[in-house]
Amino acid sequence: MMNKQKYSANLLSQILRNTCGVIGLGMGLMVASSAVSAACTYSIESEWSSGYVANITVKNDTNAAVNNWSVNWQYATNRMTSGWNANFSGSSPYTATNMSWNGNIAAGQSVSFGFQVDKRGGSAERPSVNGALCSAATSSVPRSSSSANSSSSSMVASSVRSSVASSANASLPANNFAQNGGVESGLTNWGTTAGTVARSTADKRSGSASALITGRTAAWNGLTFNVGSLTNGNQYDVGVWVKLAPGTPDSVISLTAKRLDDSDTTTYNEYTRVATITASSTEWRLLQGYYTQLGSTAFQHFIIEATETTISYYADDFFITGDVVPGSSSSSSSSSSSSSTGQTCELKAPLRWTSTGPLISPKNQGWVSIKDPSVVKYNGTYHVYATYYDTSYKSMYTSFTDWNTAQQAPHTSMNGTRVGNAVAPQVFFFRPHNKWYLITQWPGTYATTDDIRNPNWSAKQRLLQGEPNGALDFWVICNDTHCYLYFSRDDGVLYVSKTTIGNFPNFSGYSIVMEDHRGNGNQYLFEAPNVYKLDGQNKYLLLVEAWPSGPRMFRSWTSSSLDGPWTPLADTDANPFAGNNNVEWPTGKWANGISHGELVRSGYDERLTVDPCNLEFLYQGESGTGSTYNTIPYKLGLLRLKK
């Protein structure tokens, strides 16, 4: 069979390329220098009664790049249940090897991967980490606040994430568009690359049945699941619960995305590893990750496969969320309110919003206001960077999983950190660099980090050469080829600079996007430009804060290109994108005007995607008066678009 031969070759090439031919534990690495020295650090990131999440960080202390890496470790009682950002094998001892996108470690840089561990009635263990690159410089630390490379899970084509929730507690997402993922309607959409697939009632995660594969004779023999067409360039959250047949020792199960076979002899464009876990015969475990459909090769199906060549295993409750091709076989869903079901939502004026009460207010001693928020939802957590004012403008960070608990989360000042204060921040993950970027002002600068949870970013560096006087509120968005830097000057003009993806973050020069010089001191094109890509549409949305004769509000335009031209959507005081005239306050009006904020994105990378069917806007609201502008008690609230 063509698929069989081609996929087998793909597995071999991946093993050779990604693991340097790892056959046993502690195999050597290919490095550019024979002098090998590194710190291999094991850290516990979070812990609960029955388990914990751990990270291993491998730092290259040589003066030359490392081309591939492999480490191993062993527990006495604990056992690993799932992992991300590495290829895993073994069962205590375990081996982790690099994935295709994190095999190179530059001199002085590090790579981290994570995994969930079951304590099995014991305490959390902190084993030594071994490997050719580790030399003697291994260490175990109780907790890491900065070494975990959480951002690695958002890489270009595949991104593995933790299945932290146990199968007993996790539930199917409401916007799942997988049809018959629970194997309730026969074997519709289920199949196999080889071996025998059957609908089994002997074991199931939910419902009345699961899919069982038997008769496997090779690692590439696996269950397949068909989700229909996927939209090129869009990211999907994909998962399935798996369980080994009774009596089978713990074994590694992987989820792979398969595109249609193309005309070349390689498999580079056809297979992408999405997630890997260690499966068990005693419980259902969640195999989950992110997949981005890229390139001209159309999508075919997902494959659930095992490293051990002859084992049998069950799969149940397959799910997928994200943007689908309208009209494709997968576009129907249990949820009709989200564009992740394939529904396309056009933004049409007039727009109407409802506002929450204040969700994030100053609570640290001396803080007067919190404003200018940038919000990123990443791995189920909202990360908010914002400006605060005490005696001058400074920066803060907070994170939470539910808006209703946002005020209870710690507010961490960035004052005195390496990055210093980052006023009016914008935060996003830049996939080509595998880094989080923070954009800030006075002057326009950027900083980077590997971990969005750690507010100690790198030192700031200049963003725009030839920046004009008075420039502020810098905003970056990228398409497939270029990055665009928008900014204001409080002069009725919106400016933009442009550079290639390869040249980012280096911008030079600028041009005018639009201008509005209405008189009487009124600023109809003021500050806080925001630009987003609408999910499922060839359309961009531009927002600019306006300051007419009354309270502040936002104007809006749309375009099919980041180069414009821009067509007005809702851009007047009477018909704003968001302002006093189109916001309802169910719990009582607390803010005068809608000012500097950010839409809650559907993704977290440089494309800045938003779901037009479920728009939410985190904004600063003027909740009172101050003796000066600086002392106005701004708080943060959330707008939700009415449908």
Side-chain angles (χ1 to χ4, degrees):
M1 187 173 73
M2 181 177 179
N3 274 1
K4 173 180 177 180
Q5 294 175 344
K6 201 166 190 182
Y7 191 46
S8 179
N10 174 68
L11 281 176
L12 178 60
S13 66
Q14 283 188 337
I15 292 171
L16 293 174
R17 182 171 62 249
N18 294 349
T19 69
C20 290
V22 174
I23 299 174
L25 298 177
M27 285 292 291
L29 288 81
M30 295 174 59
V31 295
S33 169
S34 60
V36 178
S37 174
C40 297
T41 304
Y42 182 102
S43 60
I44 294 179
E45 191 66 23
S46 60
E47 184 176 357
W48 54 96
S49 59
S50 61
Y52 58 94
V53 172
N55 287 310
I56 290 178
T57 299
V58 181
K59 183 177 180 182
N60 177 14
D61 286 338
T62 72
N63 57 5
V66 170
N67 295 326
N68 283 288
W69 51 266
S70 172
V71 298
N72 60 81
W73 69 101
Q74 186 171 0
Y75 301 111
T77 303
N78 297 176
R79 290 295 182 269
M80 175 180 156
T81 59
S82 63
W84 51 99
N85 297 343
N87 292 308
F88 298 94
S89 60
S91 179
S92 197
Y94 299 98
T95 294
T97 59
N98 59 273
M99 303 185 76
S100 60
W101 45 264
N102 65 359
N104 183 275
I105 312 177
Q109 299 300 306
S110 62
V111 165
S112 296
F113 61 93
F115 41 94
Q116 183 177 333
V117 181
D118 184 350
K119 294 180 182 177
R120 292 199 167 190
S123 58
E125 299 177 40
R126 296 179 174 86
S128 296
V129 182
N130 303 303
L133 189 61
C134 300
S135 66
T138 63
S139 64
S140 295
V141 295
R143 191 169 303 276
S144 170
S145 61
S146 61
S147 63
N149 186 3
S150 65
S151 62
S152 298
S153 63
S154 59
M155 283 307 296
V156 177
S158 71
S159 47
V160 181
R161 83 173 191 179
S162 164
S163 306
V164 172
S166 70
S167 60
N169 297 326
S171 60
L172 286 168
N175 52 352
N176 170 35
F177 63 80
Q179 301 298 302
N180 195 37
V183 207
E184 303 306 310
S185 302
L187 288 172
T188 301
N189 287 328
W190 290 91
T192 178
T193 55
T196 301
V197 59
R199 183 178 184 270
S200 173
T201 57
D203 203 342
K204 60 272 186 185
R205 189 256 172 184
S206 69
S208 59
S210 64
L212 171 66
I213 184 169
T214 58
R216 298 175 62 252
T217 59
W220 60 268
N221 297 177
L223 292 165
T224 63
F225 190 83
N226 177 28
V227 298
S229 301
L230 299 182
T231 304
N232 192 48
N234 285 342
Q235 185 183 70
Y236 299 85
D237 187 356
V238 191
V240 62
W241 279 264
V242 294
K243 186 178 182 181
L244 303 180
T248 306
D250 287 2
S251 187
V252 175
I253 302 286
S254 297
L255 180 64
T256 299
K258 169 68 168 66
R259 303 174 187 84
L260 292 173
D261 291 324
D262 55 26
S263 58
D264 62 39
T265 58
T266 72
T267 59
Y268 178 80
N269 292 320
E270 290 130 63
Y271 295 91
T272 299
R273 180 60 52 82
V274 177
T276 300
I277 64 167
T278 299
S280 168
S281 64
T282 61
E283 66 175 353
W284 287 90
R285 292 179 178 173
L286 178 58
L287 177 62
Q288 183 178 14
Y290 293 107
Y291 169 70
T292 300
Q293 171 67 15
L294 294 172
S296 59
T297 307
F299 187 77
Q300 184 176 1
H301 54 220
F302 288 97
I303 307 171
I304 307 158
E305 52 196 347
T307 302
E308 298 296 328
T309 59
T310 60
I311 65 171
S312 301
Y313 49 92
Y314 302 92
D316 198 2
D317 290 338
F318 192 102
F319 67 86
I320 181 170
T321 69
D323 296 317
V324 299
V325 176
S328 75
S329 61
S330 60
S331 61
S332 60
S333 170
S334 60
S335 170
S336 61
S337 62
S338 170
S339 66
S340 58
T341 66
Q343 178 184 1
T344 299
C345 294
E346 292 289 340
L347 292 180
K348 296 181 179 180
L351 303 172
R352 303 294 301 176
W353 304 83
T354 59
S355 176
T356 66
L359 297 178
I360 302 177
S361 304
K363 66 177 183 178
N364 291 3
Q365 184 175 3
W367 291 19
V368 176
S369 65
I370 296 179
K371 54 189 299 188
D372 310 330
S374 182
V375 55
V376 178
K377 188 175 185 182
Y378 175 67
N379 277 355
T381 297
Y382 294 99
H383 302 269
V384 175
Y385 284 83
T387 305
Y388 74 88
Y389 186 86
D390 50 13
T391 59
S392 62
Y393 286 112
K394 300 181 177 70
S395 306
M396 58 86 69
Y397 164 75
T398 187
S399 64
F400 44 88
T401 58
D402 190 302
W403 289 109
N404 293 325
T405 63
Q407 186 62 15
Q408 285 70 56
H411 293 177
T412 303
S413 173
M414 297 166 66
N415 192 37
T417 64
R418 180 171 46 180
V419 69
N421 289 308
V423 176
Q426 182 204 9
V427 175
F428 59 89
F429 185 78
F430 189 63
R431 295 173 300 156
H433 293 175
N434 191 26
K435 295 281 187 183
W436 291 95
Y437 272 78
L438 182 151
I439 308 299
T440 185
Q441 66 185 42
W442 300 336
T445 55
Y446 69 89
T448 64
T449 186
D450 291 328
D451 190 347
I452 192 174
R453 301 164 299 177
N454 178 15
N456 189 21
W457 295 64
S458 67
K460 290 181 284 192
Q461 299 186 60
R462 195 65 179 256
L463 185 65
L464 174 60
Q465 300 303 314
E467 175 185 324
N469 293 333
L472 75 166
D473 290 352
F474 294 89
W475 182 270
V476 170
I477 182 173
C478 306
N479 57 26
D480 292 338
T481 60
H482 289 83
C483 292
Y484 295 73
L485 174 66
Y486 294 85
F487 62 93
S488 302
R489 294 177 67 196
D490 289 351
D491 60 353
V493 181
L494 176 63
Y495 301 89
V496 69
S497 184
K498 180 179 177 181
T499 192
T500 63
I501 286 279
N503 194 49
F504 178 82
N506 302 301
F507 291 91
S508 178
Y510 57 92
S511 59
I512 292 176
V513 179
M514 62 178 68
E515 48 192 319
D516 188 341
H517 297 289
R518 279 181 260 188
N520 300 322
N522 298 333
Q523 298 287 345
Y524 284 89
L525 205 59
F526 186 46
E527 296 177 345
N530 287 201
V531 189
Y532 305 93
K533 173 70 167 61
L534 299 182
D535 281 334
Q537 304 177 42
N538 183 32
K539 185 178 292 185
Y540 293 91
L541 172 67
L542 165 66
L543 312 178
V544 180
E545 183 181 350
W547 192 2
S549 55
R552 301 193 192 191
M553 56 88 166
F554 274 88
R555 303 172 67 187
S556 59
W557 299 258
T558 61
S559 176
S560 61
S561 170
L562 288 170
D563 292 305
W566 295 95
T567 301
L569 171 65
D571 74 327
T572 66
D573 198 7
N575 179 31
F577 178 81
N580 276 3
N581 287 331
N582 67 339
V583 172
E584 299 174 6
W585 313 81
T587 60
K589 190 174 186 299
W590 63 271
N592 186 26
I594 307 298
S595 189
H596 194 134
E598 183 176 355
L599 290 174
V600 179
R601 292 171 246 158
S602 56
Y604 47 83
D605 61 38
E606 74 282 355
R607 294 170 295 181
L608 304 190
T609 56
V610 294
D611 179 0
C613 297
N614 296 283
L615 284 186
E616 295 180 323
F617 188 46
L618 183 65
Y619 71 99
Q620 67 180 39
E622 185 177 333
S623 64
T625 59
S627 58
T628 65
Y629 172 76
N630 292 340
T631 59
I632 294 174
Y634 280 106
K635 301 176 182 178
L636 304 184
L638 189 71
L639 298 181
R640 293 187 172 98
L641 186 65
K642 295 186 67 174
K643 301 171 184 178

